[in-house]
Amino acid sequence: MNLTSWPIITGINQKNYYTEYLKRDDQILPLRLTQEERRNRLATQHRDKDRARALNDGNEDLDATMDLDDEGDDAAEAPGDQDFLSGNNVIVIHPGSQNLRIGFANDALPKSVPMVIARKWKCNESEEACGDPAPKRIKLSDGAEVSPRQAFGEEFATSYEKMSANLKVSMRANKRKVLPNSKELVVNFNDRTEPDEIPEHNDLQRVEWTEIPRNPKDAPNFVTGEAALRIPDNSNPRYKLFWPLRRGWYNEDDYDNKFRLFEDITTIYEEAIKNQLKIKRKEDLSQYSCIFIVPDLYERIYVTQTMEMLLRDMGFGKICFIQESLAATFGCGYMYTCCVVDIGAQKTSVCCVEDGQCLPDTRINLKIGGADITETFIKMMLFDHFPYRDINLKRRYDFLLAEELKAKYCTMKEDNISVQLYDFHVRAPGQPTRKYNFKTYDEVLLAVQGLFQPNIYDHSRKLRGRRKLIPSSIDLFDDGRNDPVSYAQTRIVTRLASEAQDSSGPGNTNGHLNSMKNMSTPRRQLPANHAFNLAKDAAPTSPSRGTPNFDVDGTPLPGAGTEAVRSDAQEQGLRDDILPITELDTAVLMSLEMAADKDDKRFKDFTRSVLFLGGVAKTPDLSNYLEARLNYLKPGYNILITQPPREMDHAQVVWKGASVLAKLRSTADLWIGKLEFERLGARTLHHKCMWAW
């Protein structure tokens, strides 16, 4: 007898259970829309052919030609696709921490504009923080300045002198002439050099500064691009420069509101399209498609927010995403196996690409780049009594001057290391041009060599403001972070966290070494329940993946393996607390080892094509130095550093590869339209990305 009158529902027979829910492409909106678009295109082609036959009735030659064309309908092009395949209506956007590269897909080269916006403010950037200059100098308690040799602290002086001594040893070993008093010659000359003033009307290369209306009410609210860097520092009203992207992240330190941050990024894109591409009306963007280049080791919130900016705020008709390293292989024609090393202004990315896919566990993102070289080069010059002692990288004209000096004189050729005499001009608004003569010795090389000894760089401000406005992406099912992780990146942050924990322990005896490592890897104070502290002792170990062991100075030991700790949750917790910093050669070798996965043949395939890109890659002889370092650490494999073909600009290869993607018909399934975005939002990326979202 039943205990209740409520009907009992029998269970489903699992043996005969079957459903078609979400098992066919026509049940998934993005795929269904793609099929409908393909059917509509074929129907349009057939209607056009029928209309052409009716207008040319009796022309047997034309009918025969059309009958042959009917056999290849699947490969035929619709008339509306001609502009799409030629790239006339596709805009390629490649944002960076310092420069934005933008252009039509059919352009030979992109337009490059500074990724900066100047807004009306109560003071400019050089007047903030009590007017402290950059690089920051040490002052006495009464505000008096110290000597140049003591201006940057004892740690910097020790590291600089050690690198200089090691360079002399290397030059002597290579049978190059080294003068014992080279430094004294440089210091004595720079210390007594006085500038020569040149009237502005006699300066043939004088700068055209951005004019601001005399009435502050008539001044524009914002200025973008190159014009923003040419605004006089003493303008009325004052303008402050904002760089929305820093080190490949959103710049949360300079903003108090994330919506203003997103608004500035959108404004920079819109002004670049208006001024560089001559698309004046925002409403016309609905007739254009956009290919947007994202980092290899991206953050999900960055991609989803960019998708919302492009489709909702700017109004593009369709968009498509591609990763930097994959775009670089398209730009160079490397379609099989390749390791891409891209050194930008503020970040360095390393990733191995195989058969059109970025291998997830090989992605490395280091927060060092050309900006660190610029700042360190100026510090080294000031250390050696640089004649322009008031240089301040927070001032716009000084920032442009420092970038010019780095591009002209920095090198990795030991043949050029001798006492050299150069000159430069300081052009400030409202002041006569000043011409300085100065001498250099090893500063031009050691600043770039910091990529292989990153403890010489200043990393103290790079984590400031991190996660102040924008939280991490959270999975809706398990409430955990779901940003993509890389095994190679996990190795770096875990090693840095372990070193930081050991250096703060009571048994630390190597004070000098650990102090240097702490300077190069800033970190936050980890709470007791942090993922690293919870997993440090109890985390399971995975089989060896062929990752090299590391010596005391961080150098990998060739041919040695190590037992690795892999924890995605651990890296997710450490990503915001530990700054990923390591030697460039170590990072490249680690990425190659992860791609090979203990397969010697695969390792040799990847080492035959290490593609070297980025603005810093244009430094003379840097690629040869990196190649020599890699072959020294991994002898017997003949690791080869390759350059972009056809003398292509290293900084524009990634953009060029994305423009090639725009002309491929096989990428038709990757475009995201407004209808899909409005109905599915970020879920569309699961079906429309070239990688596993």
Side-chain angles (χ1 to χ4, degrees):
M1 181 178 180
N2 295 331
L3 300 178
T4 177
S5 60
W6 190 265
I8 299 176
I9 301 176
T10 58
I12 298 176
N13 186 352
Q14 297 293 333
K15 294 183 178 179
N16 300 324
Y17 179 72
Y18 178 75
T19 180
E20 292 185 349
Y21 179 65
L22 293 183
K23 288 187 177 181
R24 298 198 309 267
D25 288 349
D26 57 1
Q27 296 175 336
I28 301 175
L29 178 63
L31 304 180
R32 184 168 68 248
L33 292 177
T34 302
Q35 294 176 351
E36 292 176 357
E37 184 178 356
R38 186 180 296 110
R39 285 196 298 267
N40 293 337
R41 184 171 62 250
L42 294 176
T44 302
Q45 294 175 8
H46 286 295
R47 283 197 301 268
D48 293 342
K49 292 179 180 179
D50 292 341
R51 188 180 298 111
R53 286 194 181 96
L55 294 176
N56 297 275
D57 191 14
N59 190 342
E60 298 180 357
D61 295 337
L62 180 64
D63 292 341
T65 303
M66 289 190 174
D67 290 338
L68 293 175
D69 291 342
D70 288 342
E71 299 177 0
D73 278 344
D74 292 340
E77 297 178 2
D81 288 345
Q82 294 292 338
D83 290 338
F84 180 81
L85 292 177
S86 64
N88 292 331
N89 62 346
V90 179
I91 298 175
V92 181
I93 300 178
H94 182 202
S97 301
Q98 188 161 309
N99 293 301
L100 168 68
R101 293 174 179 86
I102 189 170
F104 291 109
N106 62 342
D107 292 342
L109 296 174
K111 310 293 191 303
S112 182
V113 296
M115 186 72 182
V116 63
I117 182 172
R119 288 193 176 273
K120 285 184 179 179
W121 212 254
K122 57 185 177 181
C123 61
N124 58 46
E125 56 275 12
S126 63
E127 296 171 345
E128 290 184 331
C130 302
D132 289 338
K136 189 174 181 179
R137 285 82 148 175
I138 296 176
K139 294 184 178 180
L140 300 177
S141 57
D142 57 355
E145 295 184 357
V146 299
S147 65
R149 295 268 168 169
Q150 302 173 354
F152 303 108
E154 183 180 354
E155 290 183 349
F156 175 80
T158 303
S159 300
Y160 179 30
E161 292 171 354
K162 182 179 178 181
M163 292 177 65
S164 182
N166 292 338
L167 177 61
K168 289 183 179 180
V169 173
S170 175
M171 293 177 63
R172 289 192 180 98
N174 294 329
K175 308 301 182 183
R176 292 186 173 90
K177 185 178 180 180
V178 179
L179 295 177
N181 60 338
S182 300
K183 282 289 186 180
E184 289 75 8
L185 294 175
V186 171
V187 171
N188 293 335
F189 180 87
N190 292 340
D191 205 20
R192 65 173 184 268
T193 299
E194 296 295 334
D196 298 330
E197 290 192 359
I198 302 175
E200 186 176 359
H201 61 274
N202 289 336
D203 187 5
L204 300 179
Q205 297 180 350
R206 59 180 179 271
V207 177
E208 297 295 334
W209 303 99
T210 303
E211 294 185 3
I212 302 297
R214 293 186 177 182
N215 187 357
K217 295 182 179 179
D218 297 336
N221 292 326
F222 63 86
V223 181
T224 62
E226 192 71 30
L229 296 176
R230 297 299 184 184
I231 298 177
D233 291 84
N234 57 353
S235 63
N236 184 25
R238 291 287 195 270
Y239 282 84
K240 180 183 176 182
L241 297 184
F242 290 90
W243 303 83
L245 297 178
R246 297 274 85 178
R247 290 167 287 281
W249 295 328
Y250 284 129
N251 182 13
E252 303 174 62
D253 184 39
D254 292 343
Y255 289 87
D256 296 327
N257 190 328
K258 67 178 181 180
F259 300 106
R260 172 56 64 89
L261 170 62
F262 299 150
E263 179 186 355
D264 282 357
I265 296 177
T266 305
T267 303
I268 293 174
Y269 294 161
E270 291 176 348
E271 291 298 311
I273 292 174
K274 183 188 301 183
N275 299 328
Q276 303 296 329
L277 306 184
K278 308 304 179 182
I279 302 176
K280 301 299 182 181
R281 296 198 312 161
K282 185 177 179 180
E283 295 78 9
D284 295 339
L285 290 179
S286 60
Q287 306 299 322
Y288 292 86
S289 302
C290 175
I291 290 186
F292 194 89
I293 304 171
V294 299
D296 304 322
L297 193 59
Y298 58 89
E299 293 183 341
R300 293 171 69 98
I301 191 68
Y302 175 77
V303 179
T304 55
Q305 184 62 41
T306 299
M307 181 170 63
E308 183 174 351
M309 288 181 190
L310 298 177
L311 290 175
R312 180 174 297 170
D313 299 339
M314 299 179 65
F316 277 104
K318 294 181 180 180
I319 64 171
C320 175
F321 292 104
I322 184 174
Q323 292 173 294
E324 288 179 340
S325 294
L326 181 58
T329 60
F330 285 175
C332 292
Y334 297 161
M335 302 301 295
Y336 300 104
T337 57
C338 177
C339 179
V340 180
V341 182
D342 189 350
I343 308 179
Q346 294 190 347
K347 71 176 180 66
T348 298
S349 62
V350 184
C351 180
C352 291
V353 181
E354 184 179 28
D355 294 334
Q357 292 290 328
C358 294
L359 302 182
D361 281 342
T362 66
R363 297 174 295 181
I364 294 178
N365 194 311
L366 307 178
K367 303 307 177 183
I368 54 177
D372 295 296
I373 297 176
T374 302
E375 182 180 10
T376 306
F377 176 60
I378 297 301
K379 289 172 70 174
M380 290 179 175
M381 293 302 303
L382 290 171
F383 188 86
D384 291 336
H385 295 242
F386 191 53
Y388 183 29
R389 298 175 182 83
D390 296 333
I391 188 171
N392 181 5
L393 297 184
K394 292 182 179 180
R395 289 198 293 253
R396 293 148 200 173
Y397 58 88
D398 282 347
F399 169 76
L400 296 175
L401 173 63
E403 290 290 330
E404 179 185 354
L405 293 177
K406 179 193 70 173
K408 278 187 176 180
Y409 305 127
C410 282
T411 180
M412 284 300 293
K413 290 185 177 180
E414 288 189 359
D415 299 342
N416 297 341
I417 303 306
S418 61
V419 179
Q420 301 282 351
L421 177 62
Y422 301 114
D423 62 73
F424 65 92
H425 296 76
V426 177
R427 297 178 174 90
Q431 301 178 20
T433 301
R434 288 168 288 170
K435 178 182 178 181
Y436 287 89
N437 293 317
F438 71 104
K439 286 187 176 182
T440 65
Y441 180 54
D442 56 3
E443 304 89 352
V444 295
L445 185 143
L446 296 181
V448 185
Q449 198 178 44
L451 295 172
F452 304 89
Q453 301 179 35
N455 54 4
I456 195 66
Y457 294 151
D458 180 17
H459 310 292
S460 58
R461 303 184 305 273
K462 294 184 178 180
L463 280 178
R464 193 170 61 186
R466 179 74 169 147
R467 298 302 181 195
K468 183 179 73 172
L469 302 176
I470 305 172
S472 301
S473 178
I474 302 298
D475 191 274
L476 296 177
F477 296 98
D478 58 9
D479 294 331
R481 298 185 182 183
N482 59 357
D483 282 327
V485 295
S486 166
Y487 187 49
Q489 187 84 354
T490 303
R491 296 283 312 182
I492 292 176
V493 296
T494 304
R495 178 169 64 90
L496 294 175
S498 301
E499 291 173 355
Q501 292 283 345
D502 295 341
S503 65
S504 60
N508 177 32
T509 58
N510 194 348
H512 171 71
L513 176 62
N514 286 303
S515 65
M516 296 300 300
K517 290 181 178 179
N518 287 336
M519 182 182 67
S520 62
T521 56
R523 59 185 295 274
R524 299 176 182 174
Q525 185 64 33
L526 303 183
N529 59 349
H530 194 274
F532 174 76
N533 292 328
L534 295 176
K536 184 172 66 171
D537 298 326
T541 59
S542 64
S544 172
R545 295 285 301 270
T547 306
N549 277 325
F550 293 91
D551 202 350
V552 179
D553 60 351
T555 304
L557 298 176
T562 181
E563 292 297 324
V565 177
R566 177 169 188 174
S567 173
D568 292 347
Q570 181 177 343
E571 188 203 353
Q572 294 282 8
L574 292 176
R575 177 177 291 188
D576 299 333
D577 300 314
I578 302 295
L579 191 69
I581 298 293
T582 191
E583 299 81 3
L584 178 61
D585 48 357
T586 301
V588 175
L589 192 58
M590 184 181 297
S591 181
L592 291 171
E593 294 280 358
M594 293 298 104
D597 197 8
K598 296 194 299 184
D599 188 339
D600 193 65
K601 183 179 180 301
R602 281 172 56 87
F603 185 83
K604 290 181 179 179
D605 292 339
F606 280 104
T607 55
R608 291 193 186 100
S609 56
V610 179
L611 185 59
F612 198 35
L613 303 176
V616 179
K618 293 185 284 187
T619 304
D621 215 44
L622 178 57
S623 59
N624 295 332
Y625 185 85
L626 175 60
E627 181 178 306
R629 287 285 302 172
L630 293 175
N631 285 292
Y632 171 77
L633 296 175
K634 202 72 174 178
Y637 285 94
N638 192 22
I639 301 177
L640 180 63
I641 301 293
T642 58
Q643 303 292 336
R646 300 179 297 277
E647 298 182 357
M648 190 180 299
D649 190 346
H650 294 71
Q652 298 176 352
V653 171
V654 175
W655 183 93
K656 191 64 178 178
S659 68
V660 172
L661 176 73
K663 303 172 187 178
L664 300 179
R665 178 174 290 279
S666 58
T667 60
D669 297 339
L670 303 177
W671 293 96
I672 302 173
K674 289 185 178 180
L675 179 60
E676 305 154 77
F677 171 72
E678 291 173 356
R679 294 190 180 181
L680 298 180
R683 290 179 293 171
T684 311
L685 295 169
H686 176 71
H687 305 283
K688 294 290 187 174
C689 284
M690 301 179 68
W691 65 90
W693 174 255

